[in-house]
Amino acid sequence: MDLGHTAVLLLELGAVLFGLGLLGSLAGRIGLSPIPLYLLAGLAFGTGGLLPLDAPEGFFSTGAEVGIVLLLLVLGLEYTAGDLVENLRRQAPVGVVDLLLNGLPGAALALFLGWGPTAALALFGVTAISSSGIVSKLLTDLGRLGNRETPAVLGVLVIEDLAMAAYLPVLTGVVAATTTGDALLSVSVALATLAAVLAVAVRHGTTVTRFVGARSNEILLLRVLGLALLVAGAAEAVHVSAAVGAFLLGIALSGEVAERIGDVLAPLRDLFAAVFFVFFGLSTDPSQLPGALLPAAALAAVGIVTKFGTGWVAGRRAGVGPPGRVRAGAALVARGEFSIIIAGLVLGSVPAAFGSLVAAYVLILAVLGPLIPRLVDPWVRRLAQRSAPPRPTPPRSAP
């Protein structure tokens, strides 16, 4: 029987989405993030994979763009403009150490492989940023939200998220430029636009919130999603990146409306985020993955060590003892959604091997990230026993 194009399209899309649901369920049962499984699904369904599909690339590419917008919009909803300024001021020393310690190995590898400055800048971000989603879920699953080192861990995640607001415009400005002069101009325009939007968010955030607010969840969803796409498109037009535009819109929204928006958008965010990860896998040539495993594994090993270093510095600055510093570093190991977002922004401007390296790198650390805190726990307990002050010997009673 000859099936029509629409029937084949719906059957393939239905199979992909249903399969993603099964993969997400499997990941939850084994205690892993679904991100590596979504990436593997994209590699399997893409050109050169085990089961290539004919579903139009336009659906996945558009869905991936929407996924980036929703991921960063919902992330921005977690902060206010005041939080942004305060956290940047308070956490700046730890943030600088974190970004340099973890980003420089990635940039050095890209330059060593001869991929050029754009790839070096992108791989800097890929290796620097931990996965907020994986780390937050890990802390919850392990019951560590009340631990002394947890505020230090969350502080690192916050400063990384906020640093992306400045990093992404620079990256997209460099990608869009063809000469050094164009790059400087694009970056200047992007940062000026960023500053202007932040000023609007600080001074007129309540006005924006009232503008999109509505009693009906349906109307609220349509207003916020429409405005997010408009802002993202306008940001992209001036080379600020759609992701940053959505992030800044989320920061501008506040109060009860922001909480409602987060709840209303959560299912859409999860759906399109899954499409985004699959699209990255579809865009990666699986035949190049074996060759990327060795450098990715080496970069992941360095990344594990440097995140432990970040956790040690952040914990020490917060007055946490050595066992808590080790737990903080172990919690920060995972890379995931942000690394893929950064790589997705430059895929057309860097060598094809770049995508394979990032895919392998994220696969390794998204799997090891939830496992390492559990593996180091016995050693941390022994360290805690050794560093604990000796108990005073009770006085002997007189005969």
Side-chain angles (χ1 to χ4, degrees), residues 272-354:
F272 284 103
V275 171
F276 166 69
F277 295 125
V278 171
F279 177 70
F280 186 85
L282 290 171
S283 305
T284 303
D285 185 357
S287 66
Q288 295 190 3
L289 203 57
L293 285 177
L294 184 58
L299 194 59
V302 173
I304 291 171
V305 173
T306 53
K307 281 297 179 183
F308 269 96
T310 296
W312 187 273
V313 172
R316 183 176 182 179
R317 182 177 171 83
V320 178
R325 299 176 201 173
V326 174
R327 283 194 298 266
L332 290 167
V333 163
R335 272 53 156 211
E337 64 276 16
F338 294 145
S339 299
I340 299 297
I341 288 172
I342 293 167
L345 293 174
V346 300
L347 276 185
S349 306
V350 293
F354 180 91

Side-chain angles (χ1 to χ4, degrees), residues 27-269:
R29 290 190 176 187
I30 61 179
L32 291 178
S33 163
I35 293 174
L37 299 185
Y38 294 158
L39 288 176
L40 289 174
L43 290 167
F45 293 143
T47 303
L50 299 176
L51 186 63
L53 297 181
D54 294 327
E57 185 178 339
F59 171 83
F60 287 102
S61 61
T62 303
E65 292 293 337
V66 175
I68 293 177
V69 168
L70 291 177
L71 278 169
L72 271 296
L73 173 64
V74 173
L75 175 65
L77 291 172
E78 298 180 10
Y79 307 108
T80 65
D83 292 335
L84 187 149
V85 175
E86 175 61 24
N87 278 290
L88 284 176
R89 183 171 61 248
R90 183 164 46 89
Q91 301 284 355
V94 174
V96 170
V97 171
D98 172 43
L99 295 175
L100 293 179
L101 194 62
N102 294 280
L104 289 178
L109 179 62
L111 293 175
F112 175 77
L113 295 173
W115 288 350
T118 300
L121 180 61
L123 204 54
F124 178 98
V126 167
T127 57
I129 306 296
S130 298
S131 169
S132 297
I134 297 177
V135 175
S136 300
K137 186 176 186 305
L138 178 65
L139 293 173
T140 302
D141 292 345
L142 295 178
R144 293 184 180 174
L145 292 178
N147 282 22
R148 284 195 63 199
E149 75 275 2
T150 297
V153 173
L154 297 179
V156 170
L157 295 179
V158 168
I159 200 68
E160 287 182 351
D161 294 344
L162 299 180
M164 287 189 68
Y167 168 81
L168 290 178
V170 172
L171 178 64
T172 51
V174 170
V175 169
T178 55
T179 66
T180 303
D182 288 342
L184 292 175
L185 179 61
S186 296
V187 169
S188 300
V189 171
L191 292 179
T193 305
L194 173 64
V197 173
L198 279 177
V200 171
V202 170
R203 298 182 181 182
H204 306 290
T206 54
T207 303
V208 177
T209 302
R210 286 197 303 269
F211 177 70
V212 301
R215 293 183 178 180
S216 166
N217 284 344
E218 177 185 354
I219 296 174
L220 181 65
L221 173 63
L222 293 173
R223 285 184 179 180
V224 172
L225 182 58
L227 184 59
L229 295 176
L230 285 171
V231 170
E236 194 75 23
V238 294
H239 307 304
V240 176
S241 108
V244 171
F247 180 63
L248 294 175
L249 174 62
I251 289 175
L253 300 171
S254 60
E256 182 183 349
V257 171
E259 295 178 8
R260 285 181 57 208
I261 293 170
D263 294 337
V264 170
L265 286 178
L268 271 182
R269 176 204 58 192

